[in-house]
Amino acid sequence: MICLFAFRIEELQLGLNMWLNKRSFAKRELQQLLGELSYVSACVQTGRAFMSGLLNALCSWASAPKSTVHPVSNDLRADIIWGLHFLSHYNGVSVISSDVIISNSELFATDTRLTSCGAVFFGECFHREFPDFIITQDRHINEFELLTVVISIKL
């Protein structure tokens, strides 16, 4: 599943790079791109913010036939550039950038999912997926939250 997701991200990056070179597009092409982005946004929920500009463009041409050609505006191109940056700096599990800088060294915060955890503490951050033997124990989310705090303290 993870390899398939990585493949989909690479495929989407190639598609977005092709959009940067387009001068115009048909409504159907934008619908296809949004379909691909929708798949990724199901896993990377913050990716939906990137989709909103593209969805607004699609809505503005709601009454136009699918074969009508539209120019690639500067705003649309900027959204695509932003999307490429997003895909290359964030993985499918976490929205913590790999080059994050924490300015408040006293900050301590954790976040946990049923499959992974992360924390910011004493000016550092981490994110890790739980090993399979932990995930398969069918624990309550509160237990995963507590485990994340314990891991953070140990680190």
Side-chain angles (χ1 to χ4, degrees):
M1 182 73 148
I2 292 172
C3 292
L4 176 63
F5 186 73
F7 171 77
R8 294 289 291 188
I9 294 285
E10 289 173 16
E11 188 178 71
L12 185 56
Q13 286 174 321
L14 287 172
L16 288 172
N17 275 313
M18 287 192 309
W19 270 81
L20 287 178
N21 297 320
K22 284 181 171 276
R23 294 191 181 277
S24 62
F25 62 94
K27 181 177 165 184
R28 176 82 174 120
E29 291 176 292
L30 183 57
Q31 289 171 326
Q32 183 179 3
L33 176 63
L34 283 164
E36 294 169 11
L37 290 170
S38 177
Y39 171 81
V40 172
S41 292
C43 301
V44 186
Q45 292 184 353
T46 51
R48 292 179 186 156
F50 158 60
M51 287 180 58
S52 67
L54 301 176
L55 285 168
N56 289 339
L58 182 63
C59 289
S60 69
W61 302 308
S63 60
K66 288 184 180 180
S67 60
T68 304
V69 176
H70 305 278
V72 177
S73 68
N74 289 336
D75 288 341
L76 192 64
R77 196 173 312 280
D79 283 340
I80 291 168
I81 291 168
W82 190 85
L84 280 166
H85 175 79
F86 175 84
L87 287 172
S88 65
H89 287 83
Y90 297 93
N91 63 38
V93 179
S94 172
V95 295
I96 298 175
S97 175
S98 59
D99 59 351
V100 68
I101 297 171
I102 310 301
S103 60
N104 182 351
S105 63
E106 296 176 4
L107 175 70
F108 181 85
T110 64
D111 189 28
T112 306
R113 296 183 178 188
L114 294 175
T115 58
S116 61
C117 65
V120 174
F121 55 100
F122 306 116
E124 296 185 29
C125 66
F126 83 92
H127 177 268
R128 295 289 182 269
E129 290 188 38
F130 290 126
D132 287 338
F133 77 90
I134 291 177
I135 295 171
T136 57
Q137 290 182 12
D138 194 32
R139 301 283 184 177
H140 191 275
I141 187 66
N142 291 346
E143 292 175 275
F144 288 114
E145 293 277 359
L146 185 57
L147 179 59
T148 303
V149 171
V150 170
I151 293 168
S152 300
I153 292 170
K154 283 194 164 268
L155 288 173

